[in-house]
Amino acid sequence: MSSSAAATDLHAPERAGDYTSTGLPTGRVAIWWFLASEIAIFGGAVACYLLYRLHHPEWAEQAAHTVNAAGAFNTVVLLTSSLSAVLAHHAAEQGDGKTAARWINWTVLGGLVFLGVKAWEYAHEIGAGLVPAKSLFWSFYFLLTGLHALHVIGGMTALYVVGRGAARGQHLGRVELAAIYWHFVDVVWIFLFPLLYIAS
Amino acid sequence: MDSPTATGSGHGAGHYVRIWAVLLGALVVSLVLGAITNSPWAIAIIFAVATAKAALVLAHFMHVKLEPRWIRLIGAGAVAVVGVFFIGLVPDIVYKFGFVPGGIQSAQANPANTVAKLPPDAGRGATVYATFCLACHQADGRGKNGTLAADFVSDASRLAKPDSELLASIANGRQANGLSMPPWKDALTAQQRADALAYIRTQFGRKP
Amino acid sequence: MHDHAPSSFLRRYVFSTDHKVIGLQYMFTGLAMALLGGFLAYVMRSQLAHPGTPVAGFGTVSNAEYNAIVTLHGTIMVFWVAMPVLVAGFGNYLIPLLIGTDDMAFPKLNLMSFWTFFLSTVVLILSMFVPGGASGSGWTTYPPLSAKPAFTGVGLGLDLWIVAVALEFVAFLMGGVNFITTAINRRAKGMGLWDLPLFVWEEVIASIIFMLSVGPLVAGALMLLADRNLNTGFFDAAAGGDPLLFQHLFWFFGHPEVYVLLLPALGILAEVLTVCARKAIFGYRLIVWSTIVAGLLSFIVWAHHQFISGIDPRLASPFSLTTILISVPFAITLFCYMATLYQGSIRYTVAMLFAMAMLAEFLLGGVTGIINGSAAADIYVHDSYFVVAHFHYTLFPIVFLAPFAGFYHWYPKFFGRHLNHGLGLLHFYGTIVFFNLCFLPMFALGMMGHQRRIADPNAFGYLAHGQHYQQLATWGAIGLLVLQIPFIVNIFLSLRKGAPAEANPWRGTTLDWAVPSPPPHGNFEAPPVCYRGPYVYGVPGAADDFVPQHMPPGPGAPTARVPDGDAAQLAAAGSPVA
């Protein structure tokens, strides 16, 4: 990063494929900037929810209608899928694409289970008349969980694509990037769960 | 950039499983706390636990603790920006302080709000109309042929009503013909409402 | 390092991943949208000068149409001209060249970002032709006006408007990640952070500001769409929501956005001024640090747009304070630019004229901003033509004068030919004269009480005495638009007839001048190595009055590394010009 450090390797060989100014892989620098923008989007939405919730203490009564058990189950699913994602990363680091792909498949399965449970919850709630227009609490509930679900779908797609490559031993560096993104989706849920379910 | 990139983690799989177990344990703590009490302290602890869980995922699964400091600053900066946004909005959105000192509601507290002191004046009313009424009723008073708001010009029955009835509509709002006029009693003083009516009558009314 | 340039026309000029092609695509899309935005301005001004009379080329302007025209003019000029030209156009073309690399870090992401942007353009234009007409709730789109179709009479048009803006945000988020990562990780060997040309610094800081400020508004756009279509009440006071929240969401992005546009403009200026004044930039590190400080401050000034919208009055003073405070780092930057000119041997190219004009005109915009920024004064001028004049004095120099300077400066690099000097002078003098004729009267109009966004000032008798000023401003606007014709002609004429340009026609020091004009696919023959800071001019003992960044130390180039081209260091080295 410092100019003096870079100056010492002035006469190093021509730029190889993996030469970077900072020494960090470009993909990893990019993913953190990407997550920064995601933090601003989720952070903005959650900030709005918190501001309204603090103004309307009576929402606690409505929050009691969310299904804690389903939320808790989904938290377990996501935490576990994060474990398999980090194990995939671990395997990729050691150059074992096949094992990495297998762990990624478990993570994608976790994402599917999560979405299935979420879909059941939505159906249950909408059936009970708890639609977005029912009240502001439910508007926020669907906004935040819907936005999160979209990110789950995006993360699963990325993992699936990366996993296919890893199974053939290609682009193992991308496993880490997809895994970092998946952990981020997990972290968002770690905060959404108490915000929308437990605290009532 | 696609080469396998050792983060130099040096952790074995067992390390990750241990972190996962701790995360699940923390989840159980939150659930139990949430089930037995909803005191503010319990909620504070639940969010502290959530923050700790997020920190564990960040440090051990996302390997933030192995990244250089400037990488950590990227995420921290984003969180700080959201924090600034939140804090800046607390006075307005949580407490609505803007509506207390000298704000809109002072019009209500003001005795002038119930009775107009001066005789209604169409000149003053023109400004009120331009600011508050024109958006819907339009400059020509036709409210887009009555599609957006009441049409004062073509529909003579509108302004044939007595002042008292029209002033009440302005103050309390009105729902009719699929249109909805908001109540103005909080936003405008009685004087301003009377002035606006005077302007509407001189501008759009049939001369008697 | 070179893969071969793609051979098919489609892959080469339409779906290219080459940063130069994508940069030009952004620029020319922006130019086309500027013509549309300019036409809307012409219709709007004509209506204001002679309300109710049919406008040539458009017809009679109804009030609803006027609202739509105001909305679209603002939206197009900010999101579909300024953003693509300043941030994406110049950024894409110049960043890889200036840092000495062959392309962006993620060329495919770059391609995707441009086509997402293009899709947003299509959606926006589509929104003008749907039943109910185009959005008429202003570029700020405040609810409740925007939240209930009944208030503006606009249905689908407003939904499409929101979708278009959201798509555009997505495009620039992708672009921003690309810019930042490229500048961080793809610099030529030997190029430290303090060797980066200022343009790169400014683009990167602008991208960071954009990326962090736009997030909450993305959430806000979803909430507004839900309010319109799912009957939710996020911004509906009757349902427990708060319309003020949207204003906060909007301006938390909207004000930093001004700096997102300003910074690349200042970056273009830094490159043009140094080359044309034959002098090192004055206070390189000072400018960088000022910009970083300004970037931080930009997140705590937003509520100065809301002084009269019912915010906590106690918030007004702190926001006034931060607003006036943020003028300090920008004043530092502008003073550094002026000090760069001092005792330079200035060459008055058209680019230089535009750059110097930008400094002067932007100053007027900045100074009047201090009046708007003080809560007490703002209560009087708020929503009046004074504000219109103020932000056109800031944004016109940013969005047009600076890119003009950049375009005249780098046109030889883009196309290998020079622009015609005479047409350039005509364009320059015409633009400056008519720009002032258009917007100076608006300061007076504002003080007379003329409010923005009123379709027919004649409807209000007390505004009659300002009508002459309205007409004067309209003549200015028409002249300003007509005098853009020489520019358009010049662009296309010079493509064929312009004098051929060598690789380094202006004798600049940065790496963009080290490649042929136009640069080939892959830019550099061999990866360049950077030996010194970006603005090394007039060093005693050098073979020439400038020393390029990539020239190895030797007989013609000073051996001492000048890390940041700082004027003080050059003075210490005995430079006659510093």
Side-chain angles (χ1 to χ4, degrees):
Chain A
M1 181 115 192
S2 76
S3 51
S4 58
T8 53
D9 60 350
L10 279 185
H11 301 290
E14 303 275 277
R15 184 202 301 283
D18 57 355
Y19 167 80
T20 63
S21 310
T22 58
L24 295 183
T26 306
R28 212 160 77 215
V29 175
I31 192 88
W32 284 107
W33 285 106
F34 176 62
L35 291 190
S37 76
E38 291 275 38
I39 289 173
I41 294 174
F42 272 110
V46 167
C48 293
Y49 168 72
L50 267 179
L51 290 161
Y52 276 24
R53 175 106 189 223
L54 291 173
H55 182 69
H56 296 280
E58 71 275 12
W59 287 9
E61 195 269 322
Q62 306 183 38
H65 290 284
T66 49
V67 187
N68 275 7
F73 177 76
N74 259 348
T75 311
V76 174
V77 169
L78 270 195
L79 287 175
T80 311
S81 70
S82 252
L83 173 67
S84 57
V86 78
L87 291 174
H89 170 203
H90 186 63
E93 243 178 27
Q94 309 191 328
D96 185 352
K98 287 242 174 346
T99 311
R102 211 162 44 241
W103 284 119
I104 283 177
N105 286 342
W106 282 108
T107 307
V108 174
L109 181 70
L112 282 173
V113 171
F114 178 91
L115 288 176
V117 173
K118 199 75 233 162
W120 174 83
E121 274 182 83
Y122 279 174
H124 172 78
E125 280 144 5
I126 292 171
L130 303 170
V131 292
K134 160 87 174 160
S135 74
L136 262 180
F137 173 81
W138 289 102
S139 307
F140 270 111
Y141 169 82
F142 281 101
L143 175 79
L144 292 172
T145 55
L147 196 60
H148 179 260
L150 282 179
H151 283 74
V152 170
I153 294 171
M156 277 165 53
T157 315
L159 279 167
Y160 178 74
V161 172
V162 166
R164 300 253 316 221
R168 293 192 297 271
Q170 292 163 347
H171 304 309
L172 288 184
R174 291 183 186 174
V175 173
E176 176 184 22
L177 306 182
I180 288 181
Y181 184 72
W182 189 258
H183 298 314
F184 170 77
V185 174
D186 189 11
V187 167
V188 170
W189 183 257
I190 286 176
F191 285 108
L192 288 187
F193 177 55
L195 278 171
L196 295 168
Y197 290 79
I198 310 183
S200 55
Chain B
M1 91 188 102
D2 288 330
S3 61
T5 54
T7 344
S9 50
H11 293 314
H15 173 78
Y16 299 122
V17 175
R18 275 194 295 278
I19 297 290
W20 172 74
V22 174
L23 288 170
L24 290 189
L27 172 65
V28 172
V29 171
S30 309
L31 282 172
V32 170
L33 258 181
I36 56 176
T37 167
N38 57 359
S39 77
W41 281 108
I43 291 175
I45 292 173
I46 287 170
F47 281 101
V49 169
T51 312
K53 278 157 74 182
L56 277 179
V57 172
L58 277 159
H60 294 276
F61 285 1
M62 297 163 91
H63 297 112
V64 170
K65 63 174 188 169
L66 302 170
E67 299 280 12
R69 191 166 40 176
W70 62 271
I71 288 272
R72 276 176 270 174
L73 272 176
I74 300 171
V79 173
V81 164
V82 172
V84 165
F85 174 75
F86 180 81
I87 292 167
L89 267 61
V90 165
D92 281 340
I93 310 298
V94 179
Y95 295 108
K96 315 239 187 252
F97 279 140
F99 289 83
V100 184
I104 286 175
Q105 286 191 342
S106 69
Q108 235 175 356
N110 187 343
N113 195 30
T114 46
V115 187
K117 272 190 189 155
L118 306 167
D121 174 48
R124 286 194 305 265
T127 319
V128 177
Y129 186 86
T131 318
F132 295 95
C133 318
L134 180 135
C136 295
H137 289 285
Q138 307 279 305
D140 59 6
R142 289 173 188 273
K144 283 219 183 135
N145 294 327
T147 57
L148 199 54
D151 182 345
F152 303 134
V153 182
S154 324
D155 184 354
S157 71
R158 294 282 181 190
L159 297 183
K161 294 172 187 168
D163 277 6
S164 58
E165 192 181 335
L166 291 171
L167 281 173
S169 294
I170 298 175
N172 302 320
R174 202 175 121 85
Q175 260 83 33
N177 308 329
L179 299 172
S180 152
M181 177 157 102
W184 293 102
K185 61 175 184 290
D186 292 345
L188 299 175
T189 62
Q191 183 70 57
Q192 287 173 307
R193 301 197 297 265
D195 290 344
L197 179 60
Y199 171 79
I200 291 169
R201 282 209 187 280
T202 46
Q203 194 76 6
F204 309 121
R206 302 262 164 91
K207 304 290 175 285
Chain C
M1 71 191 274
H2 298 161
D3 44 342
H4 287 288
S7 48
S8 88
F9 178 82
L10 222 57
R11 292 291 304 277
R12 200 163 172 175
Y13 296 109
V14 183
F15 298 106
S16 169
T17 56
D18 188 322
H19 71 100
K20 300 185 289 296
V21 177
I22 294 178
L24 291 177
Q25 283 173 326
Y26 270 117
M27 258 186 248
F28 280 90
T29 315
L31 184 67
M33 291 305 274
L35 294 177
L36 179 57
F39 175 74
L40 295 174
Y42 151 77
V43 177
M44 184 164 40
R45 287 291 348 149
S46 304
Q47 157 74 9
L48 287 170
H50 302 285
T53 37
V55 177
F58 185 85
T60 314
V61 182
S62 73
N63 290 348
E65 280 167 345
Y66 183 85
N67 286 345
I69 288 170
V70 172
T71 304
L72 287 171
H73 170 75
T75 316
I76 287 177
M77 288 304 194
V78 172
F79 291 129
W80 275 273
V81 179
M83 289 295 280
V85 171
L86 270 169
V87 181
F90 280 101
N92 257 309
Y93 201 101
L94 293 176
I95 288 176
L97 288 177
L98 286 172
I99 66 174
T101 186
D102 54 346
D103 207 326
M104 282 286 171
F106 305 102
K108 280 183 198 145
L109 185 70
N110 210 9
L111 172 77
M112 211 157 86
S113 132
F114 173 76
W115 286 101
T116 308
F117 166 74
F118 193 82
L119 179 68
S120 79
T121 315
V122 173
V123 173
L124 181 81
I125 290 176
L126 211 66
S127 83
M128 302 178 199
F129 299 103
V130 293
S135 165
S137 54
W139 84 287
T140 51
T141 324
Y142 285 174
L145 185 60
S146 58
K148 294 267 184 290
F151 292 151
T152 51
V154 180
L156 188 58
L158 189 43
D159 289 322
L160 286 178
W161 184 94
I162 299 173
V163 171
V165 173
L167 274 175
E168 212 238 23
F169 289 164
V170 172
F172 283 104
L173 279 176
M174 291 193 272
V177 171
N178 219 343
F179 285 6
I180 298 167
T181 315
T182 306
I184 287 179
N185 240 6
R186 299 281 299 239
R187 282 168 279 137
K189 288 195 177 161
M191 185 178 270
L193 286 181
W194 297 112
D195 299 325
L196 284 174
L198 279 174
F199 178 80
V200 181
W201 271 110
E202 304 275 350
E203 280 278 348
V204 168
I205 296 171
S207 300
I208 296 174
I209 296 176
F210 175 80
M211 162 183 281
L212 296 183
S213 64
V214 81
L217 187 58
V218 171
L222 290 175
M223 288 151 78
L224 189 57
L225 274 177
D227 269 12
R228 290 179 59 81
N229 298 304
L230 299 177
N231 209 18
T232 57
F234 288 115
F235 304 122
D236 182 355
D242 195 336
L244 200 52
L245 174 67
F246 186 86
Q247 297 192 15
H248 280 298
L249 288 164
F250 183 85
W251 287 114
F252 189 78
F253 161 74
H255 200 79
E257 168 70 8
V258 177
Y259 303 120
V260 173
L261 306 177
L262 171 60
L263 296 189
L266 290 178
I268 290 175
L269 245 57
E271 307 305 322
V272 175
L273 290 175
T274 48
V275 170
C276 294
R278 315 304 303 158
K279 244 189 92 188
I281 195 94
F282 183 91
Y284 175 98
R285 291 191 187 212
L286 189 58
I287 293 173
V288 172
W289 283 114
S290 298
T291 310
I292 292 173
V293 168
L296 293 174
L297 283 175
S298 75
F299 288 102
I300 49 171
V301 297
W302 80 89
H304 65 217
H305 292 271
Q306 300 163 262
F307 285 149
I308 66 157
S309 58
I311 61 167
D312 183 347
R314 284 165 299 185
L315 277 182
S317 305
F319 276 104
S320 282
L321 187 74
T322 53
T323 302
I324 290 168
L325 203 61
I326 201 170
S327 63
V328 174
F330 286 119
I332 290 176
T333 305
L334 294 191
F335 280 126
C336 283
Y337 285 3
M338 287 182 223
T340 304
L341 297 178
Y342 179 67
Q343 288 197 345
S345 83
I346 295 176
R347 295 179 191 167
Y348 292 99
T349 63
V350 179
M352 185 62 165
L353 290 172
F354 270 114
M356 289 164 73
M358 146 89 193
L359 273 185
E361 305 285 8
F362 181 73
L363 218 59
L364 244 153
V367 167
T368 50
I370 293 175
I371 297 171
N372 296 327
S374 319
D378 182 66
I379 288 170
Y380 182 72
V381 296
H382 187 93
D383 237 357
S384 74
Y385 272 85
F386 187 89
V387 176
V388 178
H390 156 71
F391 69 70
H392 279 93
Y393 264 97
T394 53
L395 282 174
F396 187 86
I398 293 173
V399 181
F400 291 103
L401 297 185
F404 283 152
F407 200 78
Y408 279 93
H409 193 66
W410 278 291
Y411 186 92
K413 181 58 62 188
F414 295 163
F415 300 112
R417 286 181 187 273
H418 282 281
L419 282 166
N420 182 293
H421 188 67
L423 282 174
L425 287 180
L426 179 65
H427 176 218
F428 168 74
Y429 286 110
T431 301
I432 298 303
V433 168
F434 285 109
F435 161 66
N436 285 294
L437 185 66
C438 179
F439 292 106
L440 263 183
M442 291 190 193
F443 285 120
L445 272 173
M447 300 312 277
M448 290 172 179
H450 270 248
Q451 294 283 299
R452 298 164 70 181
R453 296 173 176 144
I454 289 181
D456 181 0
N458 282 356
F460 309 97
Y462 65 94
L463 295 180
H465 65 312
Q467 198 53 25
H468 292 302
Y469 287 84
Q470 290 279 20
Q471 287 164 357
L472 198 62
T474 301
W475 282 115
I478 292 174
L480 184 57
L481 288 168
V482 169
L483 263 298
Q484 302 312 306
I485 294 173
F487 177 59
I488 311 280
V489 170
N490 206 348
I491 294 177
F492 293 102
L493 198 71
S494 301
L495 271 183
R496 292 172 169 278
K497 303 256 161 103
E502 53 197 293
N504 191 359
W506 314 118
R507 298 155 62 76
T509 51
T510 41
L511 291 177
D512 47 339
W513 304 113
V515 293
S517 307
H521 188 76
N523 300 340
F524 296 89
E525 257 325 291
V529 177
C530 171
Y531 295 96
R532 56 184 66 75
Y535 307 112
V536 182
Y537 289 96
V539 180
D544 220 329
D545 80 329
F546 68 106
V547 188
Q549 283 189 284
H550 63 282
M551 185 187 276
T559 44
R561 185 185 170 84
V562 185
D564 58 357
D566 194 287
Q569 299 195 28
L570 287 176
S575 162
V577 291

